[in-house]
Amino acid sequence: MNFGDSFFAVFKNAFKAYFKNSFNIEEAENEVKDFRGAYLMIGQHLAIEDSLIAISYSGKLIRFLAAEGNMDIGWKNVVFRLFNVIPFARQRLDVKAIRKLKETVDEGQSIGLFPEGARSWDGRQRPIVASTAKLIKMLKVPVYNITFRGLHLSRPRWADGNGRKGKVLVSIRRILSKEEIQNATLDDVLKKMESNIAFDEFEWQRKAKVRFKGKNLAEYIERVLYRCPVCDAVNSLSSKGDDFSCSACDAVYSVNTYGMIEGCERFDCTADWNAWQRVRIPEFLNTEFSFYNPSIALLRAVGEKRLSDTVDMTLTQNSVSIVYPDGKREDIPLIETRGCDALFCNLVEFWHGDIKYQFRFEPLKKHMSVKLFEDILLVHIEAAKQKAKASEGK
C-alpha cells in the first residue's frame, strides 16, 4: 500500500461525506462497494469531480487514466500524483501508459477511465474511443460502469465558480464479468460500453424537473455556444448573470433554474444548440473569417521545456498566427495540426511538429469562444486524416 492508498483509507469517509453534501448525491445502486479484486471502472465524463466521486463511492483508490496535458497545471499535477493518476498521451499510441495499466491490475489494483476521452461540453455523450474495447480485452478484469444524472447541470463545463445545487443520482453496476469479456468479440464489448455510457442530461431533466439553484446561471455560456440561431452570426454571443445575447441581432436568451434555455424558439438546451452549430463548421470554413485574440496566455512545450508567454493570436480559416512580445510572428497551418485537446473550461492545446501549443481563452478579455476554436481545429485535423488515408489507398 503506497501513500495514495493510505491517504485515501484515512479520509475516504470524509471524501464521501463532502461530495454527498456538495452535490446532494443520492446513491441509486452500488454493486462495486463490496468487490475486493481488481476491476476497471468506466463512466460518463461530466465534471472535474466525477473521478473523485467514483473513487469515494467505490470505497477504494482507483487509478484513473488522464490526459498528460493536465500535468502542466500545477495544482492538478499535485492532486494527480497524490491519487496515483496514470497520464497518457492522446496524440499517439501511448505504450508506456498501457503497460502501466496492465501492471496495475496485475498487482491487484483497480483502474478507471472515461471511454469518451474528454469531458462533455453540453451534457450529451461524446463519441467513445473504440480502442477502449481492445484495452478491456487485454486487461481481463471485470468492468463496472458509473452513471450520473444531474452532474452536468450541477457543474456545467462552460461555467465558472462552484456551480449550482440540485440533485445528483449515482449508480454503479457491473456490465462485464471476466468470463463475458473472454467470450465476447471486440464489437460486443464496444456495443456494451456504448449502451451503458449513452446519456443525455436534458432528456433526463425534462422528466426529472430538478431545480439547480445558483447565481449567474448563464455566465460564460459563450464558451460552448458560438452561433446565433436567429441571425446566424458566429462568435457574437456574450453573457451576464442569467442572460446571454447576440451583439449582431440583439436577440436575448436566458438560463433558468432547471438548466434549460429560455427565449430561443429552436433550442431549449445546450446539447441541441451545440449539435446544430457543430455540424455547420465545415460550411463555415469555406468563408473568410478572422478572430483576433489579444493578450492570450500561451504555454509552448518542446520536450521537457515549458515556455509561457502572453501573445496576440489570430485565427483564420487556414492558420493560427501568433505574435510574441518581442514582435516575432509564427504562422501555423491548421491542416498541419494534430492532437487537439480541450482541458478544463478554457484551455485548448494542439501539436504542430514536435511542439505543443496550449492557449488559455478568457471571454472577459475578448477572446473567442473556446469551443469554436476547438471545433475548427478538430475539423481540420479530421480532414488531414482523411486525406492521408486517401493517399495511402492509391
Side-chain angles (χ1 to χ4, degrees):
M1 181 179 289
N2 63 23
F3 179 77
D5 292 290
S6 301
F7 178 82
F8 180 72
V10 172
F11 292 102
K12 65 179 180 180
N13 291 332
F15 281 132
K16 186 173 182 178
Y18 169 77
F19 288 119
K20 180 178 176 61
N21 178 67
S22 297
F23 291 88
N24 190 22
I25 292 177
E26 292 184 12
E27 189 175 353
E29 61 178 329
N30 190 344
E31 296 182 357
V32 78
K33 59 184 177 182
D34 296 322
F35 188 83
R36 293 293 175 261
Y39 58 80
L40 169 64
M41 174 76 76
I42 65 171
Q44 307 155 346
H45 201 5
L46 296 169
I48 292 175
E49 300 92 342
D50 47 20
S51 59
L52 294 176
I53 294 173
I55 293 170
S56 298
Y57 277 79
S58 63
K60 64 185 292 187
L61 185 61
I62 302 172
R63 278 75 170 162
F64 267 87
L65 197 66
E68 65 177 2
N70 289 284
M71 308 303 280
D72 292 325
I73 301 161
W75 70 265
K76 206 165 187 180
N77 191 355
V78 174
V79 173
F80 278 21
R81 292 184 184 279
L82 177 63
F83 285 94
N84 301 136
V85 170
I86 301 171
F88 78 101
R90 285 181 181 164
Q91 73 279 0
R92 66 178 187 275
L93 177 63
D94 196 334
V95 177
K96 182 180 178 181
I98 294 172
R99 186 183 300 117
K100 181 64 177 178
L101 290 172
K102 188 67 170 69
E103 291 173 355
T104 301
V105 296
D106 287 347
E107 292 169 357
Q109 305 295 338
S110 295
I111 58 175
L113 60 87
F114 298 107
E116 298 164 90
R119 191 155 41 114
S120 172
W121 275 104
D122 57 19
R124 185 172 288 167
Q125 175 197 342
R126 297 170 65 120
I128 285 179
V129 179
S131 58
T132 309
K134 294 181 180 180
L135 182 64
I136 289 174
K137 291 284 286 182
M138 182 193 75
L139 294 174
K140 301 175 183 177
V141 293
V143 179
Y144 286 83
N145 180 55
I146 183 166
T147 61
F148 303 99
R149 297 292 182 267
L151 186 55
H152 170 77
L153 288 167
S154 296
R155 300 289 190 273
R157 181 174 180 176
W158 47 265
D160 268 7
N162 293 322
R164 311 93 214 267
K165 188 74 171 283
K167 179 174 68 175
V168 175
L169 301 179
V170 172
S171 177
I172 305 175
R173 65 186 186 90
R174 192 182 70 188
I175 62 170
L176 286 166
S177 66
K178 291 177 66 173
E179 294 73 24
E180 288 171 329
I181 292 169
Q182 183 176 354
N183 297 324
T185 66
L186 287 175
D187 191 52
D188 291 335
V189 174
L190 183 60
K191 287 179 179 178
K192 192 74 172 181
M193 277 195 298
E194 288 175 337
S195 64
N196 282 275
I197 293 293
F199 71 95
D200 186 325
E201 187 88 320
F202 296 100
E203 182 179 332
W204 169 80
Q205 174 66 329
R206 290 185 183 103
K207 298 175 182 177
K209 293 182 170 57
V210 176
R211 286 184 177 273
F212 290 84
K213 299 178 182 179
K215 297 180 180 180
N216 305 320
L217 300 179
E219 283 200 358
Y220 297 101
I221 200 169
E222 64 268 35
R223 283 175 172 154
V224 62
L225 301 182
Y226 51 78
R227 192 162 200 150
C228 177
V230 174
C231 69
D232 220 27
V234 176
N235 206 52
S236 62
L237 299 173
S238 60
S239 62
K240 185 175 182 180
D242 295 344
D243 302 321
F244 62 107
S245 60
C246 174
S247 61
C249 71
D250 296 325
V252 178
Y253 315 98
S254 63
V255 176
N256 63 27
T257 54
Y258 296 98
M260 310 299 289
I261 294 172
E262 295 181 343
C264 181
E265 294 183 0
R266 300 180 65 177
F267 312 112
D268 68 351
C269 67
T270 53
D272 291 339
W273 190 319
N274 185 37
W276 165 76
Q277 64 183 14
R278 190 172 60 244
V279 297
R280 301 189 66 189
I281 287 293
E283 163 201 323
F284 180 61
L285 290 177
N286 290 325
T287 67
E288 290 188 10
F289 61 85
S290 178
F291 297 121
Y292 176 58
N293 300 274
S295 302
I296 188 169
L298 168 65
L299 174 69
R300 192 172 182 270
V302 185
E304 297 298 319
K305 190 176 182 180
R306 302 288 190 269
L307 300 173
S308 297
D309 266 318
T310 298
V311 303
D312 292 339
M313 185 267 281
T314 302
L315 176 72
T316 68
Q317 64 268 44
N318 297 315
S319 67
V320 175
S321 297
I322 305 169
V323 178
Y324 292 90
D326 60 3
K328 179 184 176 182
R329 180 187 178 96
E330 183 178 12
D331 293 305
I332 303 171
L334 291 180
I335 199 68
E336 296 178 6
T337 60
R338 60 185 175 84
C340 178
D341 192 13
L343 306 170
F344 289 107
C345 60
N346 59 353
L347 300 177
V348 177
E349 64 181 33
F350 63 87
W351 290 76
H352 181 240
D354 295 327
I355 304 174
K356 181 172 72 174
Y357 299 80
Q358 185 185 94
F359 291 99
R360 182 185 298 272
F361 294 82
E362 300 296 347
L364 295 181
K365 292 184 178 181
K366 307 303 180 184
H367 297 159
M368 66 184 294
S369 163
V370 63
K371 188 68 171 64
L372 175 58
F373 185 82
E374 180 192 27
D375 283 352
I376 288 174
L377 260 67
L378 288 174
V379 169
H380 273 285
I381 290 171
E382 183 59 30
K385 288 181 180 177
Q386 295 302 322
K387 185 177 179 181
K389 286 183 180 179
S391 298
E392 290 174 1
K394 290 181 179 179

